[in-house]
């Protein structure tokens, strides 16, 4: 009873849509949304869509026999109480469509069968409200990482992102939405695709020197690509595609010696393709289509021995296709249409290209 009374007071019980028998002194099993077993212990608490507002009280952890908890579609705020990790009988939880932040107990990972949606069918299961599982609090935080992420948040309209869960809180960086850290506390992935980022990429982002994946595609980023991103020597994937970026491609991107994927398509980038991109040793995919790039295709791209995909379509490139592309023995996808290229395409490529390649009307060399 004490646990339920605490929940009532913490979530503005008098304003609930339904609070029949709550605080009445009647048996708990006839309180609205409460189910008990034969001994009077609470086994189910179902208060979805009931106008709860406020924080979940830690006292709820005293419901040690609780098997079903549904607090979904309420105005719940604040951090998810870590004390609820003591609910060892819990097999179902729904906290979807709330404003809870924080993280879920690590011990819960893999416990629940999660809700699944397939077209118009919804398969019943727990809904964790997109909250991540907690990271080890003993993991140290990489110096400067928090400031770099805060700079990104402030520069790109963080309060208006689609999802900014846990950002700017005191929680570990590893549970900020889109951020992944390794066991040493270093930020290694930043994935904020299609998240309504609006503004310029801040220079401070280059201080995340352990970053391996930077994915900011399909947002409303403007301005130029900071040359300082060339300091991210551990970066294996850089995706800034489908934004409104302008200016020239920084030659410093050629310093990204670990890079395997470079996606900058569908922007407003201009100028020539930097020759230094040909010095990225493990690059397997280079996607620059639908920009305003001019000049010739650099012959240095023929040095990209691991290159499998090259998409330069929809630019303003001119001149001949360099014969050095003959050296791209792993190339299976090539798009050149929508440019002003002349001449022919090296014949050695011909047998390897998949049907989706498009040479823009150019023929293979004799």
């Amino acid at each position: 009873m004490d646990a339920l009374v605490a929940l009532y007071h913490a979530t503005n019980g008098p304003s609930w849509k339904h609070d029949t028998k709550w605080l009445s002194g009647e048996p708990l099993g006839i309180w609205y949304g409460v189910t008990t077993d034969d001994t009077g212990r609470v086994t189910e608490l179902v208060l979805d869509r009931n106008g709860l507002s406020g924080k979940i009280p830690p006292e709820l952890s005293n419901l040690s026999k609780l098997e079903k908890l549904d607090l979904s579609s309420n105005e719940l705020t604040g951090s998810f109480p870590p004390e609820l990790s003591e609910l060892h009988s819990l097999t179902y939880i729904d906290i979807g469509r709330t404003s809870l932040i924080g993280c879920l107990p690590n011990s819960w990972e893999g416990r629940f069968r999660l809700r699944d949606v397939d077209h118009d069918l919804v398969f019943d299961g727990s809904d964790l409200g997109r909250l991540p599982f907690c990271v080890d609090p003993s993991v140290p935080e990489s110096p400067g990482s928090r400031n770099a992420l805060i700079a990104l948040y402030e520069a790109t309209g963080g309060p208006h992102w689609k999802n900014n869960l846990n950002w700017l809180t005191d929680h570990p960086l590893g549970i900020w939405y889109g951020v992944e850290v390794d066991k040493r506390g270093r930020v290694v992935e930043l994935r904020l695709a299609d998240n309504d980022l609006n503004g310029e990429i801040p220079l401070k982002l280059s201080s995340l020197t352990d970053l391996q994946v930077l994915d900011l595609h399909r947002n409303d980023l403007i301005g130029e690509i900071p040359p300082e991103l060339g300091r991210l020597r551990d970066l294996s994937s850089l995706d800034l595609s489908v934004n409104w970026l302008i200016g020239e491609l920084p030659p410093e991107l050629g310093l990204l010696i670990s890079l395997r994927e470079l996606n900058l398509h569908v922007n407003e980038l201009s100028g020539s393709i930097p020759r230094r991109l040909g010095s990225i040793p493990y690059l397997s995919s280079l996607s620059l289509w639908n920009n305003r790039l001019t000049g010739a295709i650099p012959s240095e791209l023929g040095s990209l021995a691991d290159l499998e995909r090259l998409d330069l379509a929809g630019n303003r490139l001119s001149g001949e296709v360099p014969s050095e592309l003959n050296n791209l023995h792993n190339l299976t996808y090539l798009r050149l249409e929508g440019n002003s290229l002349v001449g022919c395409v090296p014949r050695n490529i011909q047998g390897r290209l998949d049907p989706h390649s498009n040479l823009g009307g150019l023929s293979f060399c004799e």
Side-chain angles (χ1 to χ4, degrees):
M1 181 178 290
D2 290 343
L4 295 181
V5 171
L7 175 67
Y8 187 85
H9 290 310
T11 58
N12 198 16
S15 298
W16 291 1
K17 292 180 181 178
H18 307 285
D19 66 347
T20 306
K21 300 297 183 179
W22 277 73
L23 309 190
S24 66
E26 298 282 352
L28 299 183
I30 64 172
W31 291 19
Y32 175 81
V34 179
T35 301
T36 58
D37 61 16
D38 293 340
T39 65
R41 305 293 294 276
V42 176
T43 58
E44 293 187 11
L45 183 57
V46 180
L47 295 171
D48 59 303
R49 298 179 175 85
N50 201 40
L52 281 69
S53 61
K55 299 180 179 181
I56 300 175
E59 289 87 346
L60 215 59
S61 63
N62 294 324
L63 301 177
S64 59
K65 298 297 183 181
L66 193 66
E67 301 171 0
K68 183 173 181 179
L69 175 63
D70 189 346
L71 301 176
S72 62
S73 300
N74 285 297
E75 295 299 319
L76 296 174
T77 57
S79 296
F80 189 85
E83 292 84 356
L84 297 196
S85 63
E86 299 301 317
L87 297 177
H88 299 298
S89 299
L90 200 65
T91 59
Y92 176 93
I93 182 172
D94 191 345
I95 51 173
R97 299 163 300 284
T98 66
S99 298
L100 292 168
I101 61 172
C103 57
L104 299 173
N106 263 326
S107 59
W108 284 7
E109 192 164 3
R111 176 192 290 190
F112 304 105
R113 181 173 61 87
L114 301 182
R115 181 168 301 167
D116 188 24
V117 180
D118 185 8
H119 300 292
D120 294 330
L121 298 176
V122 179
F123 298 92
D124 196 23
S126 294
D127 187 337
L128 306 182
R130 297 192 298 181
L131 291 184
F133 290 102
C134 299
V135 298
D136 185 350
S138 66
V139 174
E141 188 170 295
S142 181
S145 296
R146 186 172 292 260
N147 288 338
L149 294 175
I150 291 174
L152 175 67
Y153 184 90
E154 293 176 343
T156 59
H160 305 291
W161 291 356
K162 286 183 182 178
N163 193 335
N164 58 8
L165 182 66
N166 294 323
W167 278 72
L168 270 58
T169 67
D170 292 332
H171 291 296
L173 299 181
I175 64 168
W176 289 20
Y177 173 75
V179 180
E180 182 174 325
V181 300
D182 63 13
K183 293 181 179 179
R184 297 171 59 185
R186 303 175 302 180
V187 177
V188 293
E189 293 190 10
L190 182 56
R191 298 179 183 269
L192 295 171
D194 194 18
N195 202 41
D196 285 349
L197 277 68
N198 189 329
E200 298 189 11
I201 301 172
L203 301 185
K204 277 191 176 181
L205 206 61
S206 63
S207 64
L208 298 176
T209 53
D210 299 299
L211 205 60
Q212 298 172 15
V213 175
L214 177 57
D215 186 353
L216 304 178
H217 85 270
R218 202 173 292 279
N219 282 293
D220 289 307
L221 296 173
I222 60 175
E224 300 185 357
I225 299 174
E228 289 80 2
L229 294 187
R231 300 173 184 169
L232 305 178
R233 302 300 177 86
D234 291 335
L235 205 63
S236 64
S237 178
L238 175 60
D239 195 341
L240 304 177
S241 62
V242 197
N243 280 288
W244 301 97
L245 298 171
I246 62 173
E248 298 189 359
L249 283 173
E252 288 81 359
L253 296 183
L255 300 174
L256 300 175
I257 57 174
S258 301
L259 201 63
R260 294 185 178 275
E261 296 182 0
L262 178 57
N263 297 326
L264 301 176
H265 52 266
V266 192
N267 277 290
E268 302 291 327
L269 299 170
S270 58
S272 59
I273 300 174
R275 298 181 179 274
R276 291 177 69 176
L277 294 186
S279 62
I280 305 176
Y282 305 111
L283 194 65
S284 62
S285 179
L286 177 58
S287 183
L288 302 176
W289 59 277
N290 202 0
N291 278 287
R292 299 180 179 181
L293 300 173
T294 57
I297 300 174
S299 59
E300 286 80 358
L301 296 188
S303 300
L304 300 173
D306 288 348
L307 197 65
E308 299 174 4
R309 298 175 60 87
L310 177 59
D311 196 335
L312 305 177
N315 282 288
R316 302 172 183 179
L317 300 173
S318 58
E320 297 188 352
V321 179
S323 59
E324 286 80 1
L325 298 192
N326 253 335
N327 301 325
L328 301 179
H329 300 297
N330 291 304
L331 193 69
T332 58
Y333 181 86
L334 176 63
R335 287 183 62 207
L336 300 174
E337 76 272 18
N339 289 290
S340 299
L341 298 167
V342 297
C344 56
V345 177
R347 176 166 293 278
N348 287 355
I349 298 174
Q350 183 175 7
R352 300 193 299 270
L353 297 183
D354 70 27
H356 299 290
S357 296
N358 190 325
L359 305 183
L362 297 179
S363 59
F364 289 100
C365 300
E366 297 295 334

